[in-house]
Amino acid sequence: MPFIDNKRLQRSAIATAALLTACASPSPPPPAPAPTPRPSTTATVPAAGRLNTPGAVRSMTEMRQQAARRIVAANPNGTYVGTVPDILLAIPVLEIELNADGSIRNIDVLRRPGQAPETLQMAIDAVRRAAPFGDVSRAPKPWKFAETFLFNNERKFKPRTLDE
């Protein structure tokens, strides 16, 4: 019979329950310790506040990665790129539709956060500041993608795409 670490299992169950409660409960979650910043290993992010000229993309994966990096670069005071905390304040999800030149055609809300509703508008504004997202005319249609915004207790977000 394999050894099961009861404390680890218990911590995992508590963290999962807390995350689900934080998303569905109108009461604020208990304060979480500040995450230790560490660079993302899956994507490089341009220097804070500096937007690189977006390049042409040929796939949805490239489009999503480039958009996530631009969103972080365009919002240096509202984002974090380190480890996602165990308990999140809010998780809005947006579907962003682009024109062939990478400008925004439409933004639809796929998930409204149950608490901290102002984070939804913060996410929409962050996407608008990061536009345009580069030439997508060579990528398959439709030119749309979903982005999940992981807000911590400081009301700073991380695009989930950066952890993929």
Side-chain angles (χ1 to χ4, degrees):
M1 175 183 265
F3 174 74
I4 298 175
D5 183 357
N6 285 336
K7 286 189 177 194
R8 185 174 178 197
L9 184 62
Q10 183 180 20
R11 282 193 306 259
S12 178
I14 290 171
T16 301
L19 177 61
L20 292 173
T21 303
C23 292
S25 171
S27 62
T36 304
R38 69 177 172 90
S40 174
T41 57
T42 57
T44 57
V45 177
R50 212 177 65 198
L51 287 179
N52 295 335
T53 302
V57 296
R58 293 180 178 255
S59 72
M60 296 304 292
T61 301
E62 285 180 22
M63 184 184 339
R64 291 181 68 227
Q65 286 289 328
Q66 180 167 276
R69 289 190 303 269
R70 286 185 66 78
I71 290 168
V72 169
N75 299 279
N77 296 324
T79 58
Y80 64 96
V81 291
T83 305
V84 176
D86 290 334
I87 299 174
L88 293 165
L89 175 66
I91 308 173
V93 180
L94 302 177
E95 182 178 68
I96 300 122
E97 184 177 6
L98 304 177
N99 294 308
D101 65 355
S103 60
I104 296 171
R105 171 178 236 143
N106 190 37
I107 298 176
D108 286 324
V109 177
L110 298 181
R111 183 181 189 280
R112 293 181 184 279
Q115 63 184 32
E118 70 280 3
T119 59
L120 177 60
Q121 189 60 50
M122 293 168 70
I124 292 169
D125 293 344
V127 170
R128 292 195 187 285
R129 278 190 289 275
F133 294 100
D135 181 6
V136 296
S137 62
R138 293 188 179 131
K141 284 186 176 182
W143 299 315
K144 59 170 84 172
F145 61 95
E147 185 59 75
T148 302
F149 293 80
L150 307 172
F151 277 89
N152 65 16
N153 284 338
E154 298 171 4
R155 286 179 167 65
K156 293 187 177 193
F157 69 85
K158 177 179 187 178
R160 184 177 172 274
T161 298
L162 293 180
D163 282 341
E164 293 178 353

